[in-house]
Every structure is written in structure tokens, then in C-alpha cells.
Amino acid sequence: MILEQLKLTQNEEEMLEHIILQMEHERGLDKSAAIADMRFSFIEKLCEQTVTKPKESRERIRSEKMDRILTGKYTAIPCFIGIMALVFYLTFNVIGAWLQGLLELGIGALSDITDKALSASHVNEALHDLVIHGIFEGVGSVLSFLPVIVTLFFFLSLMEDSGYIARVAFFMDKLLRKIGLSGRSIVPMLIGFGCTVPAMMATRTLPSERDRKMTILLTPFMSCTAKLPIYAFFVSAFFPRQGGLIMTGLYVLGILIGIFAAFLYKSTLFRGEAVPFVMELPNYRMPSARNVVQLLWEKAKDFLQRAFSVILIATVIIWFLQSFDLHFNLVSDSQESILAMVAGWLVPVFAPLGLGDWKICTSFISGFMAKESVVSTLEVLYGGSVASALSPLTAGSLLVFSLLYTPCVAAIASVKRELGTKWAIGMIFWQCAIAWIAALIVRLIGLAV
């Protein structure tokens, strides 16, 4: 190291350390970011003295004017929160909600036609119940959220293709460095809002092994799109007038819990400094219709594949377990089913959260397979009357637990592949513990109010 070659005395080292601390305090940047800032400031001044530009492009001038607000020191984060709140409002209260209503009417009409056809054909009672109450109420309830997901990703793709997401990585670098990460980590985290699995794979581009591990452990706190059906269902059922506000609050809560976990990791598991982050911001541009349509198609196709594979299988399994007892006799009361007996073991754990119902416990188990199946499981077990069976306080506690508890089995498999079995198992218990505590706090606040 250079410091070793200089052979400085202890007094000289302490003086340098004092100068560095003073510089960091005055500039509001850590030493790595400050050195990068000084380097680029010098390059900019040198270019002004030596390079002659005949004319600056209108795109560049427009981008600089927009960046004064969208990436300003005091305006960047409020603008980001405001933009995301507007996106959620349009998605869950206006455009997405309207399209979802149309699709629900179509699914309901098809369910009625199928129900009448099966009754007229005198189909076996168990098979009839599976098709109507298992597949249509389970998979159909999840499928109805396709317009919401497509609408949300329409707005996100506009933000990404316009160049705004790159700005988010830029102004988040300073905040991320305070919790022990560099701005590079924001990219996997932003991907995590789409799906946790590719987000963890994206951490392979991080140059620091420390940053990579820490980012992998923090990414599941970013709410993936698989949880959107849960949010949309309970928000529309219990909090229809505050949809945009609650959706924004859930995403912000996930981020805040992630920040808390990052501070904890920084002082325990991952001591040290993050790798400096430098990037060139592209000019703002009009989003490409082709890129937007391609992204929407990929997200819709992925959602439909999951709906007719993992979620369908999970729904059929849940229907079977709640329809038969240990002797494989068809039960009239699901309380006597195999599922009630197995899920009953978890009831004491969730009782303090106001979630001590074996049906809710079952939905969390199926959510480990695929988060979307939480809604389909509840619809199957409650016979399509979830809204009347639960209270708003219970719904709030359930929303917070669903936000924070262990990611799906595919994400856990990714953690195992990237970090190993011990890290994967540790993540399951760690996130379940955090989710339990957060849901309990929500419950206690609700009871106090």
C-alpha cells in the first residue's frame, strides 16, 4: 500500500485522518465519493479551458434543466416518491382498477357458464367443486390481477426507457453509501421490485464480494411483483379509497426495513467500505414503443405461465387437502380436513398477530411456493368471501407480514446457489422473524388506535 511505502509517523497518520474527516464533514461525502467528485470537477474545468463545443445539443440542455429538479440535492427523493405515488394511484385506482374490473366480469361470466354446464351434465360433485371453487375462484382471482401488473410495468418501462431509472441509481448512491453499499447495488434492488430471482443473479456484476452478499440479503425486502395480487386484493377489499397511499406505504416500509437491516449488516456481518460508484448519465429521451411493448409482453407471459403452472398446482393441492380428511372422505366442513389439521400447528405462532386462523396460516405456506397463491388459497378456503371474513386490522397485519416474510422457494434456491445452504436457511428464519415483529407492531398500533 502507498501509506506503507510513505512510512508516515503516527502523528502524520492522525493528521491525515483528521483532514479526511473534516473534508467528509464539509463536503457531505465520504472520501471515495469526494475523490471522484474532485477528479471529475478537475476534468470538467480542464475541458472548459481546452475544448471548444460549437453548439450544445437541445437534448443535453433539456436534460440538464430537468436534472436540476429530478436529481437536485433536496428535490430528488421527494420527486421520486411523488412519481411512484402517482404511478401507484393510476395503477390501482384508475387505469389498472378499471381494466381489472372488466376482466373480473369476464371471469365471473365464464365461471357461471361452466357451473351451469357441469350441473346440467351431472358431473361428479368433487370434480364440480374442484373446477368452480378450486380453479375458477383460486386461479381466476389471481388471473384478474394481470391488468394491474401490466399497467404498473407500463409506467415502470416508461421510466426506465426515458433514462430516469439511471438517475435514481445516481442520486441513491450517496444514501446507499451511508448504509454500506455503493450505487451499483441499486440496480439489482430495482430489478428486485420486478422479481427477486433475476435481481440476485444481477448481483454477479458487482465487483466487491462484500457488496454482492449484502445486496443479495437486502433484495428480498424490495417488494416483487408476485406480491402485487396480495396488495391489490386486500387494498381493493378493505381500503379502496386509500389504495395509492397504502401501496406507496408498503413499498416504502419494505425499503425502510431494508435500510434497518443494512445498518445491522454493516456493523456485524459486513464491516468495511463500499466500492466507489461512477456512472455517466444519458440524456432524457422518448421511450421506445417497441421496448415498452416487449417488456409488457414478457411480464404478462411470465405471469400467465406462473398462473397456469405453479399457482394452478398449488390451488389444486390446497383444494384437495381442504376437501378430504385423513381417510380420504369428502368433508362437508373444511375444519375437519387434512389441511386444517396441518395448518393448526402454526395457529399459536400467528395468534398474537391477529392471524390465528388455520386458513390464513395455510395461505402463507402456499405463498412460499408462489406469492400470488396467497390470494388464490384464501379465495378457495373462504369460498370467495374473504372480505367479509376478515377485519381491516387483520388485513393490515396480513399485508405487512406478506410484504416481509421469506421470499418464494425459487428466490431461496437462488440464494442457495449464490451464497450456500446456510445463508438460504438463515434468510428464511431471519425474514420470518422480521415479518412477525412488524405485523405485531401493526396489530398493537391498530388496537391502540
Side-chain angles (χ1 to χ4, degrees):
M1 293 177 63
I2 296 177
L3 289 176
E4 294 177 353
Q5 294 178 0
L6 290 174
K7 297 180 180 179
L8 300 175
T9 65
Q10 184 177 354
N11 289 336
E12 290 172 333
E13 289 180 357
E14 291 178 354
M15 182 176 65
L16 283 175
E17 187 65 27
H18 175 73
I19 293 173
I20 291 172
L21 291 173
Q22 184 177 1
M23 180 269 296
E24 290 180 338
H25 176 71
E26 291 176 355
R27 297 180 67 91
L29 300 169
D30 59 41
K31 60 184 179 182
S32 299
I35 290 172
D37 182 60
M38 288 186 284
R39 182 181 295 127
F40 279 90
S41 296
F42 172 76
I43 294 172
E44 186 175 346
K45 289 180 181 178
L46 187 63
C47 289
E48 288 177 356
Q49 297 172 2
T50 58
V51 178
T52 301
K53 297 180 180 179
K55 186 179 180 181
E56 198 166 13
S57 66
R58 287 183 297 178
E59 291 79 6
R60 185 62 185 170
I61 295 173
R62 183 178 63 243
S63 295
E64 289 178 351
K65 289 181 179 179
M66 294 174 67
D67 279 338
R68 289 170 191 164
I69 298 175
L70 295 179
T71 62
K73 183 177 181 180
Y74 302 105
T75 57
I77 293 179
C79 283
F80 177 62
I81 294 175
I83 290 171
M84 294 309 298
L86 178 62
V87 167
F88 289 139
Y89 174 75
L90 292 175
T91 300
F92 295 98
N93 292 78
V94 185
I95 302 173
W98 178 71
L99 294 174
Q100 181 186 4
L102 292 179
L103 186 56
E104 285 178 341
L105 289 175
I107 294 174
L110 181 59
S111 177
D112 291 338
I113 293 172
T114 306
D115 189 12
K116 292 177 181 178
L118 292 175
S119 298
S121 303
H122 303 289
V123 174
N124 178 271
E125 180 184 353
L127 182 60
H128 188 164
D129 191 68
L130 169 62
V131 174
I132 301 302
H133 298 105
I135 297 175
F136 273 98
E137 287 186 2
V139 179
S141 62
V142 175
L143 195 62
S144 65
F145 295 105
L146 177 61
V148 173
I149 292 173
V150 170
T151 303
L152 178 62
F153 269 94
F154 169 74
F155 289 116
L156 293 179
S157 63
L158 292 181
M159 293 165 59
E160 182 178 359
D161 216 36
S162 66
Y164 179 65
I165 294 298
R167 266 79 180 172
V168 174
F170 168 73
F171 64 71
M172 287 295 289
D173 177 63
K174 184 177 179 180
L175 292 176
L176 288 175
R177 293 188 69 79
K178 290 182 179 180
I179 63 175
L181 292 172
S182 75
R184 286 187 178 89
S185 296
I186 195 65
V187 177
M189 288 182 178
L190 288 175
I191 296 174
F193 284 111
C195 181
T196 306
V197 176
M200 291 181 178
M201 295 175 66
T203 60
R204 297 174 183 176
T205 61
L206 300 180
S208 167
E209 185 67 15
R210 170 193 173 277
D211 288 4
R212 191 176 76 89
K213 288 182 177 179
M214 193 169 172
T215 304
I216 287 175
L217 295 179
L218 293 177
T219 298
F221 290 110
M222 307 302 111
S223 189
C224 67
T225 53
K227 299 175 184 177
L228 279 178
I230 306 175
Y231 305 157
F233 177 81
F234 283 97
V235 166
S236 61
F238 294 94
F239 318 103
R241 296 184 179 179
Q242 299 86 23
L245 179 63
I246 290 177
M247 287 297 304
T248 304
L250 286 169
Y251 276 78
V252 171
L253 177 62
I255 294 170
L256 291 177
I257 297 294
I259 292 173
F260 166 77
F263 277 119
L264 195 60
Y265 296 154
K266 181 183 177 182
S267 58
T268 55
L269 297 175
F270 305 105
R271 298 178 184 273
E273 295 294 328
V275 175
F277 171 61
V278 178
M279 69 175 297
E280 182 179 356
L281 296 179
N283 292 334
Y284 287 101
R285 59 186 181 273
M286 286 296 295
S288 166
R290 180 180 178 182
N291 292 342
V292 172
V293 171
Q294 183 176 358
L295 178 64
L296 294 184
W297 165 245
E298 289 175 355
K299 293 300 178 183
K301 183 176 69 173
D302 179 64
F303 181 80
L304 290 173
Q305 286 175 342
R306 289 172 67 86
F308 290 103
S309 57
V310 178
I311 299 172
L312 177 60
I313 294 171
T315 300
V316 172
I317 292 173
I318 294 298
W319 171 87
F320 177 84
L321 293 177
Q322 67 101 24
S323 298
F324 293 89
D325 60 18
L326 288 173
H327 302 288
F328 298 102
N329 297 314
L330 193 64
V331 297
S332 57
D333 184 359
S334 56
Q335 191 72 36
E336 303 171 357
S337 65
I338 301 172
L339 192 59
M341 182 188 68
V342 175
W345 299 336
L346 296 176
V347 168
V349 177
F350 289 96
L353 313 180
L355 306 175
D357 186 332
W358 67 270
K359 298 176 183 178
I360 297 176
C361 297
T362 301
S363 71
F364 292 145
I365 297 173
S366 65
F368 182 62
M369 298 173 61
K371 292 302 177 190
E372 302 96 330
S373 62
V374 169
V375 175
S376 62
T377 300
L378 290 173
E379 283 288 280
V380 170
L381 296 180
Y382 281 105
S385 59
V386 180
S388 60
L390 305 180
S391 67
L393 180 55
T394 301
S397 183
L398 191 148
L399 277 172
V400 171
F401 189 86
S402 298
L403 164 71
L404 299 172
Y405 90 111
T406 179
C408 67
V409 65
I412 294 298
S414 296
V415 176
K416 178 180 179 296
R417 183 170 60 250
E418 299 294 331
L419 301 182
T421 304
K422 292 182 180 179
W423 286 99
I425 296 174
M427 173 180 282
I428 293 174
F429 287 101
W430 167 239
Q431 292 215 212
C432 285
I434 290 178
W436 193 93
I437 294 171
L440 178 63
I441 293 173
V442 170
R443 174 75 175 175
L444 295 176
I445 293 174
L447 291 174
V449 174

